C-alpha cells in the first residue's frame, strides 16, 4: 500500500529559498593529492559519482552565478545586504586555484546590490604554502583537515601511501608565522575520529600546538558498501563515548561547545521545548510544534546552502548522495525545476510521515531523510522515540543543564542557532 502523498512544499517555497540563499559551495575538483582510507569518496562509501580527476568548468559556474544573481536581485529576496558565503570543496580545492580566482573575481564584480560576499574553503593544506597570500588577501575562512599528531593522521596518506603529516604541518606553521592575526581569526581544524585517535588526544594536540579547539567529526554512517561494513566498524569510533572516556571530559565539552553532542542535544531541547526561545514574531503568535509541520529534521532544499558537484549536479548539501540531485548545470542552461524539486521532497517525506506522527520527539528531530536506508521503499527512522524514550531523553537534557548552568546561560543568552 502506497503512503498518501502530502504537499508540504510548493515550487514557490523552493524559489524563495534560492532567492535568499546563504551559502553556495562548489566542488572545485574531484581530484585529490591524498588518498585517505576513510574519505567520504573512498573505499567505504557508495552513492557518489566516480572520481575521475575532473575540474569544474568555469563557464558552467558563471552560468549558475548569473542565474542566482537574478534571483538575489528580485523581489523574492527579503533581505538587504545579506552576506552569502562562497565555499570551495573537493577533492582538494587548491588543485584548481585558477577556477577559485575566476569565480571570486567574477562575483565581486557582479551587480548584486542585495548581497555581500565572504569566502571559505575546506583544504588538506598540502598546497597552502603556494596560495596563502591570496587566501589571506580575500579573508578566507579555512577549515584544515588534520586528525591530530602523526600517528593520529596516519590514515591521511598520499597516492603512494606516504604520510602527509609533516607536509601539512609545514604549510600550517608557515601560515601561522607569516600571518598570525589571520591564523588566529580565520583558521580552524577538522579532525576525523577513528580507531587510531580519540577525543582527548586530538583535543590536547590542537590546544597545545595551536591553541585551537578543533571540530571532531565521526565517520559518516550513511552509504556504506555492504562488503566494507566489517572494516568500517573496526575503523569507526563514537565521539560521545570517546569524550566520556577522557579524564578532562568536562573541560573538553565546554571548549567544544556546539561541536559536543551534549550541547547540541541541549540546544535542540531548549529551542523546541523550553517555551522561551523565539526566532521571529510568528513564534510568539503560533505554537512552534503545531499539527502542520515537516516530518523529520530534513532541511528545506537550499535553506542552508547549495552544493554543486564537479559534474554539475545541484544538491542541497555535500552530505547527501548524488542520486538525490535536484538539478543540473548543462552547457547552456540551469536545469532547476522548483515544482519538480518540491514534488520529490514531498514524495519522500510522505513515506515517513506516519512514523513522525507517532514520534514523541517529532518537534526536535534532526534526522535527515536522505540518510535513511530503503528511502524508496519502506524507510525507518533511526531517531524515533516512543513515550518512554522521550522521557529518558528529557531527563538527560535536564540533568545536563542542571550540571552545567553556564551552558544554559550561553545557549539562552549568547547564541544564534542556525537550524
Amino acid at each position: 500500500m502506497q503512503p498518501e502523498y502530502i504537499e508540504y512544499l510548493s515550487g514557490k517555497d523552493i524559489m524563495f529559498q534560492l532567492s535568499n540563499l546563504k551559502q553556495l559551495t562548489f566542488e572545485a575538483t574531484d581530484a585529490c593529492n591524498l588518498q585517505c582510507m576513510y574519505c567520504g569518496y573512498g573505499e567505504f562509501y557508495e552513492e557518489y559519482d566516480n572520481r575521475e580527476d575532473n575540474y569544474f568548468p568555469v563557464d558552467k559556474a558563471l552560468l549558475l552565478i548569473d542565474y542566482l544573481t537574478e534571483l538575489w536581485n528580485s523581489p523574492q529576496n527579503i533581505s538587504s545586504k545579506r552576506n552569502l558565503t562562497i565555499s570551495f570543496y573537493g577533492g582538494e580545492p587548491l588543485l584548481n586555484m585558477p577556477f577559485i580566482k575566476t569565480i571570486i573575481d567574477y562575483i565581486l564584480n557582479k551587480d548584486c546590490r542585495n548581497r555581500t560576499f565572504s569566502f571559505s574553503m575546506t583544504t588538506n593544506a598540502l598546497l597552502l604554502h603556494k596560495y596563502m597570500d591570496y587566501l589571506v588577501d580575500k579573508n578566507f575562512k579555512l577549515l584544515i583537515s588534520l586528525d591530530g599528531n602523526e600517528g593520529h593522521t596516519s590514515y591521511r596518506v598520499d597516492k603512494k601511501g606516504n604520510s602527509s603529516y609533516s607536509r601539512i604541518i609545514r604549510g600550517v606553521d608557515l601560515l601561522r608565522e607569516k600571518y598570525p592575526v589571520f591564523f588566529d581569526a580565520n583558521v580552524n581544524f577538522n579532525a576525523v575520529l577513528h580507531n587510531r585517535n580519540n577525543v582527548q588526544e586530538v583535543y590536547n594536540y590542537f590546544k597545545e600546538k595551536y591553541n585551537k579547539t578543533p571540530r571532531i567529526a565521526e565517520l559518516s554512517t550513511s552509504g556504506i558498501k555492504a562488503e566494507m561494513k566489517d572494516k568500517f566498524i573496526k575503523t569507526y569510533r563514537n565521539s560521545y563515548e570517546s569524550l566520556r572516556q577522557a579524564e578532562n571530559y568536562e573541560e573538553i565539552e565546554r571548549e567544544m561547545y556546539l561541536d559536543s553532542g551534549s550541547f547540541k542535544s541541549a540546544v535542540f531541547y531548549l529551542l523546541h521545548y523550553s517555551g522561551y526561545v523565539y526566532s521571529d514574531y510568528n513564534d510568539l503568535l503560533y505554537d512552534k510544534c503545531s499539527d502542520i509541520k515537516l516530518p523529520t529534521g530534513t532541511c528545506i532544499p537550499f535553506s542552508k546552502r547549495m552544493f554543486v558537484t564537479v559534474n554539475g549536479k545541484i544538491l542541497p548539501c555535500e552530505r547527501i548522495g548524488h542520486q538525490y540531485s535536484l538539478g543540473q548545470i548543462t552547457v547552456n542552461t540551469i536545469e532547476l525545476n522548483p515544482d519538480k524539486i518540491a514534488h520529490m521532497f514531498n514524495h519522500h517525506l510522505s513515506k515517513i510521515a506516519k512514523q513522525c506522527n507517532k514520534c514523541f520527539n517529532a518537534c526536535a528531530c534532526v534526522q535527515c531523510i536522505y540518510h535513511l536506508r530503503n528511502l524508496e521503499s519502506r524507510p525507518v527512522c533511526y531517531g524515533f522515540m516512543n513515550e518512554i524514550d522521550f522521557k529518558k531523553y528529557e531527563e538527560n537534557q535536564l540533568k545536563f543543564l542542571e550540571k552545567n548552568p553556564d551552558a544554559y546561560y550561553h545557549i539562552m543568552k549568547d547564541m544564534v542557532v542556525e537550524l
Side-chain angles (χ1 to χ4, degrees):
M1 182 177 175
Q2 292 294 322
E4 177 189 0
Y5 176 83
I6 305 171
E7 187 169 340
Y8 296 101
L9 293 174
S10 68
K12 290 183 178 180
D13 297 317
I14 304 302
M15 291 301 291
F16 175 83
Q17 298 300 338
L18 288 169
S19 302
N20 295 275
L21 192 67
K22 300 172 184 175
Q23 182 173 350
L24 173 60
T25 302
F26 290 103
E27 185 182 37
T29 176
D30 63 5
C32 192
N33 41 14
L34 292 181
Q35 193 167 334
C36 308
M37 185 191 77
Y38 56 66
C39 175
Y41 303 119
E43 62 181 59
F44 285 154
Y45 298 96
E46 49 192 4
E47 299 186 347
Y48 61 84
D49 292 341
N50 291 334
R51 308 283 91 184
E52 297 177 343
D53 292 348
N54 291 324
Y55 290 77
F56 205 117
V58 169
D59 55 342
K60 288 188 176 183
L62 301 186
L63 193 66
L64 178 64
I65 291 171
D66 289 343
Y67 171 87
L68 291 171
T69 299
E70 286 190 21
L71 294 174
W72 299 335
N73 287 338
S74 76
Q76 295 182 82
N77 168 55
I78 62 170
S79 59
S80 177
K81 295 299 181 184
R82 165 177 279 174
N83 183 73
L84 187 143
T85 302
I86 305 294
S87 300
F88 300 96
Y89 195 75
E92 171 48 45
L94 289 177
L95 288 170
N96 197 6
M97 199 63 189
F99 171 84
I100 293 170
K101 290 182 177 180
T102 300
I103 297 305
I104 290 176
D105 287 345
Y106 188 76
I107 205 160
L108 289 179
N109 286 288
K110 287 289 291 182
D111 177 17
C112 195
R113 52 192 174 274
N114 295 319
R115 288 288 180 276
T116 61
F117 297 98
S118 59
F119 308 103
S120 69
M121 177 185 296
T122 301
T123 176
N124 62 31
L126 287 181
L127 297 174
L128 194 57
H129 62 288
K130 294 180 66 174
Y131 301 116
M132 63 175 63
D133 295 342
Y134 179 85
L135 299 175
V136 171
D137 180 63
K138 298 303 180 185
N139 200 34
F140 264 76
K141 294 290 185 181
L142 296 180
L143 185 63
I144 296 174
S145 302
L146 183 65
D147 297 345
N149 64 31
E150 188 164 12
H152 302 153
T153 308
S154 56
Y155 280 131
R156 302 184 60 78
V157 297
D158 62 23
K159 307 290 186 180
K160 297 180 179 179
N162 299 316
S163 171
S164 63
Y165 176 79
S166 61
R167 287 172 283 170
I168 295 171
I169 294 302
R170 190 157 51 244
V172 172
D173 288 351
L174 178 61
L175 178 64
R176 180 176 60 167
E177 178 184 346
K178 192 172 181 180
Y179 298 106
V181 175
F182 174 88
F183 185 87
D184 288 343
N186 288 45
V187 175
N188 207 347
F189 295 90
N190 183 69
V192 175
L193 193 63
H194 48 69
N195 62 340
R196 295 181 182 176
N197 63 10
N198 61 58
V199 169
Q200 180 170 352
E201 291 173 344
V202 171
Y203 169 82
N204 290 343
Y205 172 85
F206 285 104
K207 287 298 288 186
E208 292 168 6
K209 188 168 180 61
Y210 296 117
N211 194 30
K212 297 278 187 179
T213 301
R215 300 181 186 179
I216 302 178
E218 296 177 354
L219 293 171
S220 172
T221 58
S222 178
I224 305 297
K225 296 176 182 176
E227 67 272 20
M228 297 302 296
K229 185 176 180 181
D230 290 342
K231 188 174 182 181
F232 174 84
I233 291 172
K234 291 177 182 177
T235 309
Y236 177 84
R237 174 164 281 168
N238 179 278
S239 60
Y240 180 83
E241 293 176 358
S242 182
L243 175 61
R244 284 296 176 268
Q245 292 170 4
E247 293 179 2
N248 57 332
Y249 82 88
E250 291 182 339
E251 173 195 345
I252 297 173
E253 193 165 53
R254 284 194 300 272
E255 286 286 330
M256 288 177 64
Y257 203 34
L258 271 185
D259 287 323
S260 155
S262 297
F263 272 93
K264 285 181 180 178
S265 186
V267 167
F268 275 92
Y269 176 77
L270 288 171
L271 182 67
H272 293 284
Y273 298 117
S274 71
Y276 297 108
V277 180
Y278 305 98
S279 58
D280 55 39
Y281 286 113
N282 287 332
D283 277 353
L284 288 167
L285 300 174
Y286 303 105
D287 180 4
K288 287 194 284 187
C289 193
S290 64
D291 292 333
I292 303 173
K293 69 180 298 294
L294 298 179
T296 75
T298 309
C299 304
I300 297 174
F302 311 123
S303 61
K304 290 189 176 180
R305 67 178 66 89
M306 174 188 286
F307 175 64
V308 193
T309 75
V310 72
N311 297 319
K313 288 184 176 180
I314 299 173
L315 295 125
C317 82
E318 66 278 7
R319 300 185 183 96
I320 292 176
H322 291 183
Q323 72 271 32
Y324 298 117
S325 66
L326 304 180
Q328 180 81 29
I329 309 175
T330 63
V331 175
N332 298 313
T333 189
I334 306 297
E335 295 181 353
L336 202 62
N337 186 319
D339 291 329
K340 186 177 179 181
I341 292 170
H343 179 81
M344 186 189 87
F345 190 82
N346 294 334
H347 168 71
H348 288 142
L349 289 181
S350 296
K351 289 177 175 290
I352 202 80
K354 284 188 177 180
Q355 293 178 55
C356 294
N357 290 339
K358 296 177 182 177
C359 179
F360 280 75
N361 193 38
C363 291
C365 179
V366 296
Q367 176 65 58
C368 176
I369 195 170
Y370 293 107
H371 292 164
L372 299 182
R373 294 189 184 93
N374 304 317
L375 178 57
E376 297 300 339
S377 53
R378 300 185 65 181
V380 175
C381 182
Y382 311 131
F384 178 86
M385 288 189 193
N386 59 29
E387 187 173 7
I388 296 174
D389 294 332
F390 181 75
K391 286 181 178 179
K392 290 180 180 178
Y393 159 78
E394 193 169 36
E395 288 172 3
N396 288 336
Q397 307 319 305
L398 294 174
K399 285 179 182 178
F400 174 78
L401 293 168
E402 287 172 3
K403 188 176 181 180
N404 299 276
D406 56 329
Y408 176 82
Y409 174 83
H410 286 301
I411 291 169
M412 298 298 287
K413 187 80 175 175
D414 300 334
M415 280 182 42
V416 175
V417 181
E418 295 275 352
L419 292 180

